[in-house]
Amino acid sequence: MKKRVLSAVILLPLLLAVVLAAPKIMTAVLLGFMCAISAYELLAGTGLVRNPKLVICTMTAAALVPFWCYYGMHPTWGLLGVYVFFSLLVVAMMLSHIKIRFEKIAVCLAGGLLLPYLLSSLVRLLADGNGRFYVLIPFVIAFSSDTGAYFIGRKFGHHKLAPVISPKKSVEGLVGGLVAAVVGMMIYGLVLDHAFDFRINYLNTAFYGVIGSFAGVFGDLTFSVIKRQTGIKDYGNLIPGHGGILDRFDSVMLVAPLVEVLLALLPMVVK
């Protein structure tokens, strides 16, 4: 527990400093590093893909996705990148005959393209005119929900939410996390309203907290079931007390793209 808290106290301010104060390109650099590490964790950390060439190829693709999003490249270049990456994977499968099965190729595609594109929502949020404010929303939702779920679940949790996938999660924790996410978003809305003169739609803001909390739990369970299927406790040990990138940012990886969609379809800032 002490390691977990200490890591959060040290790493969270550093992460926020990069996202909020450093040049925006630094966020792409940081996310490129995180995406490459998460690709390694998904492939090698789980044992799903042990072929070094596939792992390196996937890590490279994952690291490039945030930069593609940062520079706002034309979709044609993205399509070309996907084409090349997929072709390299398939050629490796053909050359190895039966040693590299298609299931491994699918895992590489998930680790090299899908997950990085989801996490790169942070880069796309930051690119908006109000990006410095919008990019905080996934963190507010995910971390307030996680905190509320942890303490409420620890104190009052009696009904298991997903006993096979994640035995420590409870229905009471789910409710506590939902309430905490709504409260966190309402407080953040008040800060934007009164300190930065944004006109906030508080109904939409509360909705962000509700649906975002569910998305965070879904993300957590998604990566937990992979761990159960592969028989590992954590994806890595990069972050003391938390595990790997996928252990710490599993919620954010699903919350961030949802926030990107919500801001486009159901804005919390009234123009």
Side-chain angles (χ1 to χ4, degrees):
M1 181 62 181
K2 289 182 179 179
K3 285 185 178 181
R4 186 181 182 90
V5 174
L6 183 61
S7 296
V9 169
I10 295 174
L11 294 177
L12 184 58
L14 289 176
L15 175 64
L16 294 180
V18 171
V19 172
L20 298 179
K24 293 182 179 181
I25 184 63
M26 292 305 299
T27 299
V29 172
L30 177 61
L31 284 178
F33 172 77
M34 292 171 59
C35 288
I37 297 300
S38 65
Y40 178 84
E41 292 174 349
L42 181 66
L43 274 60
T46 59
L48 291 172
V49 179
R50 299 184 183 276
N51 185 294
K53 293 181 180 179
L54 292 184
V55 173
I56 292 173
C57 184
T58 302
M59 290 178 66
T60 303
L64 292 176
V65 172
F67 291 96
W68 177 73
C69 294
Y70 173 78
Y71 286 108
M73 293 182 179
H74 193 277
T76 302
W77 291 107
L79 179 60
L80 177 61
V82 172
Y83 187 91
V84 171
F85 179 48
F86 179 72
S87 297
L88 290 174
L89 296 177
V90 172
V91 167
M93 180 176 64
M94 290 178 175
L95 292 176
S96 70
H97 299 292
I98 62 173
K99 291 182 180 180
I100 299 178
R101 300 181 61 83
F102 183 73
E103 297 93 312
K104 297 184 185 297
I105 302 301
V107 174
C108 290
L109 290 172
L113 296 177
L114 176 59
L115 300 187
Y117 188 76
L118 293 177
L119 191 59
S120 293
S121 283
L122 297 174
V123 175
R124 296 190 293 275
L125 288 171
L126 196 59
D128 187 270
N130 295 319
R132 297 287 190 186
F133 301 99
Y134 289 161
V135 76
L136 284 178
I137 296 175
F139 295 105
V140 171
I141 294 173
F143 293 148
S144 60
S145 179
D146 285 350
T147 302
Y150 176 79
F151 286 105
I152 296 299
R154 188 176 183 182
K155 182 71 175 178
F156 303 104
H158 298 294
H159 300 86
K160 300 296 183 182
L161 178 65
V164 176
I165 298 174
S166 186
K168 294 183 179 180
K169 280 186 170 48
S170 65
V171 176
E172 292 82 1
L174 174 67
V175 175
L178 188 152
V179 173
V182 172
V183 172
M185 280 304 298
M186 295 300 283
I187 292 174
Y188 187 58
L190 288 170
V191 171
L192 293 181
D193 194 344
H194 294 284
F196 298 97
D197 295 324
F198 282 84
R199 294 178 59 196
I200 301 297
N201 183 319
Y202 285 98
L203 181 60
N204 288 357
T205 301
F207 182 70
Y208 278 38
V210 173
I211 193 170
S213 180
F214 280 116
V217 173
F218 182 68
D220 194 333
L221 292 176
T222 297
F223 290 97
S224 290
V225 74
I226 297 173
K227 289 193 289 188
R228 297 296 173 266
Q229 289 183 353
T230 54
I232 61 173
K233 183 179 183 295
D234 294 314
Y235 284 100
N237 54 12
L238 183 64
I239 308 174
H242 293 274
I245 297 295
L246 290 178
D247 294 294
R248 177 61 276 181
F249 290 91
D250 50 4
S251 298
V252 175
M253 198 169 289
L254 269 291
V255 174
L258 178 63
V259 169
E260 184 181 1
V261 172
L262 288 175
L263 285 169
L265 301 180
L266 200 68
M268 63 176 282
V269 176
V270 180
K271 295 183 180 180

